[in-house]
Amino acid sequence: MSPKLRPLRRRETMPDFVLEALEAHGLMAQYEARPPYQRNDYLLWINKAQREETKQKRLAQMLEELEGGGVYMRMKWNG
């Protein structure tokens, strides 16, 4: 019997302000099209910020990357 595989990182919950931003910018489909690890990494990155200004800056970067495509955390991504 093989051990059950579990994610290396815990699953992050999506804050309301992130959900609202995705919906307002019409980017929910692009977000959902990303692999689960990327969606979780984006949320972890945003949630870890202590200052509201930093959370908003990270959210803006995520939205920009989803809108433009081909980029994940400022790295080229062929998804």
Side-chain angles (χ1 to χ4, degrees):
M1 180 178 227
S2 65
K4 288 188 177 187
L5 296 177
R6 61 180 176 81
L8 297 176
R9 296 183 188 115
R10 70 179 177 91
R11 294 285 178 225
E12 288 293 312
T13 57
M14 182 181 290
D16 291 339
F17 74 93
V18 173
L19 176 62
E20 292 166 6
L22 287 168
E23 290 174 345
H25 288 84
L27 294 170
M28 186 57 80
Q30 290 89 329
Y31 176 81
E32 291 293 333
R34 294 292 178 119
Y37 78 90
Q38 285 189 14
R39 296 191 310 254
N40 197 60
D41 283 353
Y42 274 130
L43 295 178
L44 176 65
W45 183 53
I46 292 168
N47 287 338
K48 277 179 36 177
Q50 293 181 3
R51 296 180 354 177
E52 187 62 30
E53 177 183 330
T54 305
K55 288 181 183 191
Q56 292 301 319
K57 182 178 176 182
R58 291 176 180 183
L59 173 62
Q61 180 182 326
M62 180 189 79
L63 295 173
E64 182 180 308
E65 291 179 0
L66 292 173
E67 186 172 31
V71 179
Y72 163 66
M73 301 295 235
R74 294 194 173 139
M75 296 178 287
K76 185 176 179 181
W77 176 69
N78 297 323

